Amino acid sequence: MIIGLAGYTFRNGDINYNMIQMERAINECHRDVDLLCFGESFLQGFDALSWEYEKDKDIAISRDSDIMNELKEMSRMYHKDLAFGYIEKDDDKLYSSYAVIVNGELVRNYRRVTKNWKEFTKTDEHYCEGTDTSSFLYKGVPVTIALCGDLWICPEKFVTDGLLLWPVYLGYTKEQWKTEKEEYAKQAFQVSRHALLVNSISKKPNSVGGAMYFYDGRVAENLPFGKEGILETEIRLENVFDLNKFLDTYDIMCKEGKKEQLEGYLIDGMEQATKKGNLPVVFTIANELLGYYRVNGRITECLDCIDTVLFLAKLMGIEGSHQYAVTMINVATAYRVCRDYTQSLICYQRAAELLQEPTYERAGLLNNMSLLYIDRKEFTKAEDCLLEAFDILSATSRVEEMATTKVNIGNLCYYRGKFFRGLQYMEDALHLYEQPDVRSVHYASALSGMAEGYFHIKEYGTSLKYYDKCLAELDRVYGKNAEYEKVYKNRKRVQQMADMQNERMPMEKIRKFVEENFLPVLKEKYGNYPVAVGLVGEGSQCYGYDDKYSVDHDYGMGFCVWMSEETYRKVGTQLQKEYERITKPYSRITTEEGQGRVGVMTVDSFIRRIAGVYPVSEKEWMTVKEEQLSALTNGEIFYDPYDVITGKTDAIRRYPENVKMKKLAVSLHEMAQSGQYNYLRCYKRKDKGAMLLTKQAFVDATIQTAYLLNDMYKPFYKWTFRKMEEFTVLKEIPDLLVKLMETDVWDPEAFELIEEVCEFVAKETEKSGVTLNHSFLDGYSRRIAEKYHG
């Protein structure tokens, strides 16, 4: 086919003159020319607009206007296909468009996809851009259109193995074109081996026009600048690789779940394009293949493909271009999946250097960078990225990208423990994704985010529903890939917790399990070895406090098997295997902090892990914390015929008298100082903050005292009040302390409650042989200290 590039003069705002120019060009071109092409905005003139909508709407024309119909008739009458740029009106929207008329019919109406055609600092929502960059077939050849800056700002959207038609309006002088035409040839080569550039001539402003045929990144033919003329170029393209069709087929295969065929399809496409020597097409498919390996967690192939993509970028000479920036984002994301966070950050930063304008491409970059910063635990930087991205996107109508940003902000909230806030972002994202014509491959991420949020707030049933939706979406788009398996494992864990939520794991159930499943094996195979079995240590399960809120950590079937160091060296490993074999069918949720709490262990290691030391001397008794002693002596020992551990725990079940009384002297003094002395002084000073602190200090000291007087160890703080239900004396104290904490600091009742608590404590302390006939506790403290400190 022969294509004519008309470097003709237009007049701004004079459609009639410009149409006469088009008809003149038809008459002056060779009869064999199939398609005659004019420059960007040729019909109205590139500078015809004022950027005031009420004026410009009368300059623009619609696709069904009388003027467009005249041009269709011109094409039919002269048997000449036409292509020209014009300002299009569609309802109340204006576009910079390019029309292709074949046999008198409009077969392609391309709308420029980048905003630089307009004075975007002055224009409003009426001035718009298109989104469709697909090719159309002309005489069996795929033809892709890009208008002027489109090919500089986002060349990756126009890659084709067919013909690139590049209408422009450029005001370069003849001297400037001597160097610029080579740069334009190189830029076109990022997209296609065959490219046609046509530029119009104008007087105000001045443009010398021009027309060029680029082949393999060089100027193969061109018109003289500054002189009207038509460059008639014969284009021969045989066995063309239709990239748009190839990628459309790939998308269909993804949607239809043909996951086993995707890798082979992409590799075959690269081989075909390589044989044709079309580097831009090879490069585009290589980027798709990199994305495929990344999504499927194929680390080795992913790293190999990164090398291929970077090699092709260097070979094409696109380093430093917009297309290279987009590639750097793809490569950086792949490095992140491969856990090479250093290289990932380098590539993201390189992309950020090239994408500094507040465009949606930069917003996408910032979204991806935020995920890297989250992986690196740099949450402040992650938040900065996401907020900047959302600011950019909020000024656009790119709903999908806005949804993706909300998902990422939601995930960041989860990392920071703000689960309800994170859920709100996920819900917002879900609503955006579910709008008509919006749902994308990222829809599953919002579903997964909803599932995770409901998991964190322990709404396991709702979490499972969203996980099921997420898995169905992943299977539809990608099949059961690595991401699917990851989500499936998360769902399985939630299912376990949902099952456990209605099933407590009381001590009786564990004891029965041990007696029926473990003890028979222990007695038969290891009966001659001194071994004890039970459940003692940290955690609500050992206290018998487990409920539906405990199932998210360190919960399930588990128990302790104790022995000496010597016995452990002989049979410890074998017994651990027996333990794992017997308990494996019964799920247990374990956190990192909960490692080593159950299973086979030595008595000494058990004590060291919990308390650090087994207290014997008074100094050791004073060093070990109460919650540690509580953990060493709680729970139950089910089986200990050789007294492996029972004697040790019984010996430390209560404080020695002298230790208890010395600790009591300290706690009584703290009660007196905080509640009976400093609280009133802080009240007089009107120091609310100090009053709150002294009230809390009084509560803490009272709890310590109450446990000592009950001959019990105070457990981990969250179980303090729960354990008080077992008090035999001072049973009134828990309710009084709760009431005190709920009372406003300025309420006189607080003083009454403090004094009431002190009276109860004073009466109970007198049973230790200290009688003072008053309730100021510092006196009791001094008497006890004198007696036990000598």
Side-chain angles (χ1 to χ4, degrees):
M1 65 182 176
I2 298 176
I3 296 181
L5 304 177
Y8 273 49
T9 303
F10 65 65
R11 291 179 183 172
N12 286 312
D14 194 340
I15 293 178
N16 185 57
Y17 173 84
N18 297 336
M19 288 179 67
I20 292 172
Q21 286 287 79
M22 292 172 71
E23 189 169 9
R24 183 167 74 89
I26 291 173
N27 286 303
E28 291 180 354
C29 75
H30 195 277
R31 182 178 298 176
D32 292 338
V33 169
D34 297 294
L35 176 66
L36 185 60
C37 304
F38 297 84
E40 180 182 16
S41 303
F42 186 87
L43 186 60
Q44 289 104 332
F46 187 80
D47 286 302
L49 299 179
S50 66
W51 313 120
E52 295 179 23
Y53 177 70
E54 290 303 318
K55 295 179 181 178
D56 292 343
K57 69 178 183 180
D58 297 327
I59 297 173
I61 67 167
S62 64
R63 285 172 288 177
D64 59 356
S65 64
D66 291 340
I67 293 173
M68 187 64 76
N69 289 332
E70 286 182 42
L71 290 167
K72 292 177 182 178
E73 182 59 31
M74 189 186 298
S75 169
R76 282 191 289 267
M77 182 176 67
Y78 287 104
H79 303 287
K80 194 71 66 181
D81 299 332
L82 299 174
F84 55 91
Y86 73 109
I87 305 302
E88 177 191 358
K89 178 170 65 176
D90 186 6
D91 289 332
D92 63 343
K93 306 296 184 184
L94 303 183
Y95 300 89
S96 175
S97 301
Y98 199 78
V100 180
I101 297 174
V102 177
N103 296 325
E105 298 295 332
L106 183 63
V107 299
R108 179 73 168 109
N109 187 70
Y110 171 75
R111 291 169 172 172
R112 182 166 172 173
V113 298
T114 55
K115 66 180 181 179
N116 297 55
W117 69 277
K118 64 193 180 188
E119 291 286 346
F120 53 82
T121 58
K122 300 178 181 178
T123 53
D124 57 20
E125 71 279 0
H126 294 99
Y127 299 80
C128 303
E129 289 74 51
T131 57
D132 181 11
T133 60
S134 62
S135 61
F136 70 98
L137 284 178
Y138 183 72
K139 296 188 180 299
V141 174
V143 178
T144 300
I145 301 170
L147 279 173
C148 203
D150 283 346
L151 214 62
W152 292 99
I153 296 173
C154 50
E156 70 281 354
K157 294 183 178 181
F158 302 92
V159 176
T160 178
D161 199 28
L163 177 66
L164 170 69
L165 180 57
W166 193 8
V168 300
Y169 178 76
L170 298 164
Y172 295 144
T173 64
K174 293 180 182 180
E175 290 300 315
Q176 287 175 312
W177 268 119
K178 288 180 182 179
T179 56
E180 289 297 331
K181 64 182 180 181
E182 300 299 333
E183 292 301 314
Y184 275 76
K186 291 178 182 178
Q187 188 67 16
F189 186 52
Q190 294 185 32
V191 171
S192 177
R193 301 180 69 187
H194 303 270
L196 298 172
L197 180 146
V198 56
N199 189 32
S200 302
I201 297 174
S202 67
K203 303 301 182 184
K204 293 181 181 180
N206 187 59
S207 170
V208 297
M212 287 166 265
Y213 168 42
F214 302 136
Y215 177 70
D216 277 354
R218 58 183 178 81
V219 181
E221 300 176 40
N222 67 279
L223 278 180
F225 294 106
K227 183 178 180 181
E228 287 188 334
I230 300 172
L231 177 64
E232 299 178 0
T233 301
E234 184 173 7
I235 304 296
R236 294 183 178 274
L237 297 177
E238 298 177 355
N239 299 319
V240 172
F241 186 99
D242 191 336
L243 181 63
N244 283 319
K245 183 178 180 181
F246 176 86
L247 295 177
D248 287 344
T249 301
Y250 180 73
D251 289 340
I252 292 171
M253 290 170 67
C254 288
K255 291 176 182 178
E256 293 178 349
K258 297 179 180 179
K259 50 188 177 298
E260 298 86 0
Q261 305 173 28
L262 296 177
E263 180 183 10
Y265 180 77
L266 291 171
I267 292 174
D268 182 61
M270 284 182 65
E271 291 175 351
Q272 290 182 45
T274 300
K275 289 177 182 177
K276 297 177 183 297
N278 197 319
L279 286 180
V281 172
V282 177
F283 181 70
T284 298
I285 300 176
N287 271 284
E288 288 288 340
L289 185 61
L290 178 58
Y292 169 83
Y293 288 139
R294 171 176 57 80
V295 168
N296 286 278
R298 303 265 295 275
I299 303 300
T300 302
E301 293 88 344
C302 206
L303 293 171
D304 289 342
C305 203
I306 287 174
D307 292 339
T308 300
V309 167
L310 294 178
F311 172 76
L312 289 170
K314 187 173 183 179
L315 197 63
M316 292 170 63
I318 65 171
E319 293 164 312
S321 68
H322 179 279
Q323 188 175 11
Y324 188 71
V326 174
T327 299
M328 283 293 98
I329 297 174
N330 195 21
V331 168
T333 304
Y335 273 129
R336 182 174 65 82
V337 170
C338 296
R339 297 184 181 278
D340 189 340
Y341 298 144
T342 300
Q343 283 300 318
S344 179
L345 182 59
I346 290 171
C347 293
Y348 278 136
Q349 289 174 336
R350 177 58 177 144
E353 292 172 1
L354 299 171
L355 297 174
Q356 296 190 15
E357 292 295 317
T359 62
Y360 74 93
E361 287 95 346
R362 180 171 175 82
L365 162 66
L366 292 166
N367 262 301
N368 280 289
M369 282 187 77
S370 73
L371 297 177
L372 173 65
Y373 282 128
I374 289 173
D375 287 339
R376 291 165 61 99
K377 311 299 182 188
E378 298 179 51
F379 298 131
T380 301
K381 290 182 179 179
E383 184 176 14
D384 290 343
C385 285
L386 290 171
L387 292 176
E388 183 184 346
F390 199 78
D391 285 344
I392 294 170
L393 293 169
S394 62
T396 74
S397 58
R398 296 185 176 275
V399 178
E400 182 180 345
E401 287 84 355
M402 291 173 68
T404 299
T405 304
K406 282 186 175 286
V407 168
N408 291 339
I409 296 175
N411 282 326
L412 183 59
C413 290
Y414 292 163
Y415 280 113
R416 293 182 162 185
K418 300 175 181 178
F419 302 119
F420 286 97
R421 183 182 175 193
L423 260 174
Q424 186 58 60
Y425 279 110
M426 293 298 179
E427 288 177 2
D428 292 345
L430 210 59
H431 293 322
L432 290 171
Y433 278 131
E434 290 174 347
Q435 290 184 22
D437 303 322
V438 173
R439 186 175 297 190
S440 74
V441 293
H442 301 296
Y443 176 57
S445 66
L447 292 170
S448 177
M450 291 292 289
E452 184 181 352
Y454 279 107
F455 158 74
H456 282 301
I457 64 172
K458 296 181 173 55
E459 293 289 342
Y460 300 130
T462 306
S463 177
L464 288 171
K465 291 178 183 178
Y466 280 107
Y467 270 128
D468 288 338
K469 289 182 180 180
C470 178
L471 289 169
E473 181 69 11
L474 287 172
D475 192 25
R476 182 185 70 81
V477 177
Y478 298 112
K480 293 180 174 61
N481 60 4
E483 183 63 22
Y484 181 96
E485 293 301 323
K486 178 182 176 182
V487 173
Y488 180 77
K489 287 180 180 178
N490 289 339
R491 189 208 180 280
K492 187 176 180 181
R493 182 187 179 199
V494 175
Q495 183 66 63
Q496 291 173 351
M497 294 181 183
D499 293 341
M500 291 177 181
Q501 198 167 44
N502 296 318
E503 179 188 359
R504 292 187 61 194
M505 193 65 67
M507 191 67 72
E508 312 89 72
K509 186 172 183 177
I510 297 173
R511 185 196 309 112
K512 185 176 180 181
F513 177 86
V514 170
E515 290 172 350
E516 293 178 355
N517 297 278
F518 187 75
L519 288 186
V521 176
L522 178 65
K523 292 174 181 178
E524 179 183 351
K525 296 183 178 181
Y526 307 96
N528 295 326
Y529 292 97
V531 174
V533 184
L535 182 59
V536 177
E538 309 99 325
S540 56
Q541 202 166 339
C542 299
Y543 287 96
Y545 296 162
D546 267 345
D547 53 28
K548 66 179 182 179
Y549 303 108
S550 306
V551 301
D552 60 341
H553 68 287
D554 304 321
Y555 180 89
M557 187 53 68
F559 51 90
C560 304
V561 182
W562 297 284
M563 61 193 68
S564 66
E565 294 281 355
E566 181 182 359
T567 303
Y568 188 87
R569 285 194 295 270
K570 294 177 181 178
V571 296
T573 302
Q574 299 95 303
L575 268 173
Q576 180 64 30
K577 290 180 180 178
E578 294 283 2
Y579 173 89
E580 291 172 358
R581 178 182 63 81
I582 292 170
T583 59
K584 186 175 182 180
Y586 302 87
S587 56
R588 177 175 173 82
I589 306 303
T590 305
T591 61
E592 183 177 346
E593 293 80 3
Q595 295 293 328
R597 290 184 176 181
V598 294
V600 179
M601 63 193 76
T602 68
V603 174
D604 289 344
S605 66
F606 170 73
I607 293 171
R608 283 196 303 271
R609 180 177 60 78
I610 294 176
V613 64
Y614 182 81
V616 176
S617 67
E618 183 175 303
K619 182 179 180 181
E620 290 169 339
W621 274 106
M622 298 297 288
T623 302
V624 178
K625 296 179 180 178
E626 272 192 89
E627 55 262 34
Q628 295 171 326
L629 291 168
S630 177
L632 280 175
T633 56
N634 65 14
E636 287 188 29
I637 297 171
F638 310 141
Y639 175 82
D640 190 10
Y642 296 96
D643 193 21
V644 172
I645 193 171
T646 304
K648 283 183 174 290
T649 56
D650 285 348
I652 60 171
R653 203 163 291 280
R654 291 178 177 81
Y655 278 125
E657 185 66 13
N658 63 318
V659 173
K660 170 187 168 180
M661 298 309 291
K662 287 181 179 180
K663 283 182 170 288
L664 182 61
V666 173
S667 64
L668 289 169
H669 172 73
E670 290 175 352
M671 284 181 68
Q673 281 293 302
S674 57
Q676 295 178 297
Y677 180 71
N678 280 322
Y679 191 73
L680 178 60
R681 293 170 69 85
C682 294
Y683 177 83
K684 291 177 177 178
R685 294 187 178 112
K686 305 300 181 184
D687 189 340
K688 185 175 182 179
M691 291 178 73
L692 289 168
L693 289 174
T694 53
K695 183 200 282 189
Q696 187 59 53
F698 175 77
V699 170
D700 291 341
T702 302
I703 290 172
Q704 175 78 24
T705 300
Y707 269 95
L708 287 167
L709 292 173
N710 273 277
D711 272 336
M712 294 168 57
Y713 297 129
K714 179 167 63 71
F716 186 56
Y717 71 90
K718 70 176 179 179
W719 300 119
T720 297
F721 278 84
R722 178 72 175 271
K723 189 74 173 173
M724 284 180 172
E725 294 173 7
E726 302 174 26
F727 276 4
T728 57
V729 298
L730 296 176
K731 294 181 179 181
E732 306 86 354
I733 293 296
D735 290 341
L736 289 172
L737 291 181
V738 169
K739 190 173 182 180
L740 174 62
M741 288 189 286
E742 292 175 340
T743 303
D744 187 90
V745 291
W746 306 116
D747 190 336
E749 187 182 10
F751 295 96
E752 297 173 7
L753 288 168
I754 289 172
E755 194 54 40
E756 187 176 359
V757 167
C758 291
E759 287 176 1
F760 277 116
V761 170
K763 289 179 181 179
E764 189 61 35
T765 305
E766 288 181 354
K767 295 178 183 179
S768 301
V770 180
T771 304
L772 294 177
N773 298 319
H774 62 72
S775 61
F776 187 62
L777 298 181
D778 200 49
Y780 291 88
S781 172
R782 293 176 185 276
R783 287 285 184 88
I784 294 171
E786 289 170 2
K787 181 177 179 180
Y788 287 92
H789 285 278

